[in-house]
Amino acid sequence: MRVSAKADYAVRAAAELAAAEEGPIKGERLADAQDIPLQVLEHILLELKHAGIVRARRGAKGGYWLARPAEEVTIADVVRAVEGPIAHVQSAPPESIEYRGNAAHLQEVWIAVRASLRTVLEHVTLADLVSGQLPSEVESLAAQPDAWVAR
Amino acid sequence: MRVSAKADYAVRAAAELAAAEEGPIKGERLADAQDIPLQVLEHILLELKHAGIVRARRGAKGGYWLARPAEEVTIADVVRAVEGPIAHVQSAPPESIEYRGNAAHLQEVWIAVRASLRTVLEHVTLADLVSGQLPSEVESLAAQPDAWVAR
DNA sequence: GCGCTCCTGACCAAAAAGGTCAGGAAAGTC
DNA sequence: GACTTTCCTGACCTTTTTGGTCAGGAGCGC
């Protein structure tokens, strides 16, 4: 249940692209802005490109930009592009697992876990992230003082 | 963002203990009931014991049982015992991370992610799991047909 | 043609995941 | 007290993942 460096990097780079006023942004500038090793970032951007989230052009004046408007790209899109499906259990999607005995209802719990992750990740767009105007459900989750303490 | 085999095993074994009518249950019986490799399960039960979730006795008539009533042990307790903190980002708790530039608000998003996981994992007890009577918030997440389809 | 920037695969070390092996230590039974 | 049962623990193993580096090729613009 952890967020990998790769996913974190990918979202941060996407946020920078979402905020870009004009023209392609060089990988190096993204790496500097977010303190990400350039060569790592290049691999990530390549995956984002293969997933259809960003576009790129080489050469002078080249760089990366979002393939779609920032309002239409969610954090879930970005995370899935680099990490694969969200909330798999033992590398299988929760809807495909059958539990026995007294754990029979565990499937519903993992489904609920995935659904709750989705309510956050699929509802926050890159535009929301850049502006800081998160959707109200997400805002209210983050607003609870409890949410900020470790357990 | 995936659930490891270990966490899945731990919750399933805990569910079996929660359902036990009386006396200590042997590791072997738990392993059989949930189809878990015995030696793997023994390591997991040891961790659960160190976390104060189960107790154990050796010898004939020995076995494992819950240290507290099943109504007072949440799935979050069990998962944390074997996987460590929920929803860490790059191995650090989200409240300790500072983001720069256009990713500044990403911290709030990860906080919200953790909070949403907690609303599920900290509210479902082992007793709920065994009976199938999940808390209403969790039930309604799992009841959405959408929640059952992959993306 | 030349410099710039993306593109790609190979490679690497360290850690985690998932599991097995082997032996020791307590609790009960005869 | 010997013996059996069951938990306890560390060592070990293989495979995959993670996080990162290196080196060279391919397209774009001037």
Side-chain angles (χ1 to χ4, degrees), chain B residues 20-95:
Chain B
E21 295 286 315
E22 87 249 51
I25 314 288
K26 293 185 12 175
E28 197 183 355
R29 221 178 105 194
L30 296 173
D32 286 350
Q34 288 296 326
D35 238 333
I36 301 170
L38 175 58
Q39 317 212 68
V40 170
L41 182 59
E42 286 187 331
H43 280 97
I44 290 170
L45 286 165
L46 194 58
E47 290 185 70
L48 292 180
K49 192 191 147 198
H50 289 157
I53 291 173
V54 310
R55 293 191 199 285
R57 185 170 36 221
R58 316 191 223 204
K61 303 251 172 177
Y64 302 90
W65 65 96
L66 289 180
R68 283 173 284 152
E71 294 77 26
E72 293 173 22
V73 182
T74 69
I75 296 194
D77 295 330
V78 176
V79 171
R80 283 201 192 99
V82 299
E83 277 203 331
I86 286 166
H88 270 206
V89 180
Q90 294 207 48
S91 309
E95 74 270 12

Side-chain angles (χ1 to χ4, degrees), chain A residues 1-9 11-12 15-16 19-20 32-35 75 79-80 83 85-91 93-95 97 99-122 124 128-134 138-139 141-142 144 146-151, chain B residues 1-9 11-12 15-16 19-20 32-35 75 79-80 83 85-91 93-95 97 99-122 124 128-134 138-139 141-142 144 146-151:
Chain A
M1 305 294 265
R2 47 190 293 285
V3 178
S4 67
K6 203 163 147 191
D8 191 51
Y9 290 164
V11 175
R12 282 155 57 189
E16 289 294 331
D32 286 350
Q34 288 296 327
D35 239 330
I75 296 194
V79 171
R80 284 201 191 97
E83 277 203 333
I86 287 166
H88 270 207
V89 180
Q90 295 208 47
S91 309
E95 74 270 12
I97 310 177
Y99 288 106
R100 303 166 43 173
N102 291 293
H105 294 279
L106 185 51
Q107 183 180 34
E108 290 161 57
V109 175
W110 296 143
I111 291 283
V113 163
R114 180 172 70 179
S116 78
L117 283 173
R118 285 176 172 176
T119 64
V120 176
L121 299 178
E122 290 185 349
V124 178
D128 296 336
L129 175 58
V130 170
S131 71
Q133 303 280 312
L134 306 182
V138 177
E139 190 76 59
L141 278 171
Q144 308 170 44
D146 248 32
W148 291 77
V149 311
R151 303 242 175 105
Chain B
M1 306 295 269
R2 46 191 295 286
V3 178
S4 68
K6 203 163 146 190
D8 190 51
Y9 289 164
V11 175
R12 282 154 56 190
E16 289 294 332
D32 286 350
Q34 288 296 326
D35 238 333
I75 296 194
V79 171
R80 283 201 192 99
E83 277 203 331
I86 286 166
H88 270 206
V89 180
Q90 294 207 48
S91 309
E95 74 270 12
I97 309 177
Y99 288 107
R100 304 167 41 173
N102 292 291
H105 294 279
L106 185 51
Q107 183 181 33
E108 289 161 59
V109 175
W110 296 142
I111 290 283
V113 162
R114 181 172 70 179
S116 78
L117 282 173
R118 285 176 171 177
T119 64
V120 176
L121 299 178
E122 291 185 348
V124 179
D128 297 335
L129 174 59
V130 170
S131 70
Q133 303 280 313
L134 305 182
V138 177
E139 190 75 59
L141 278 170
Q144 308 170 42
D146 248 33
W148 291 77
V149 311
R151 302 245 174 104

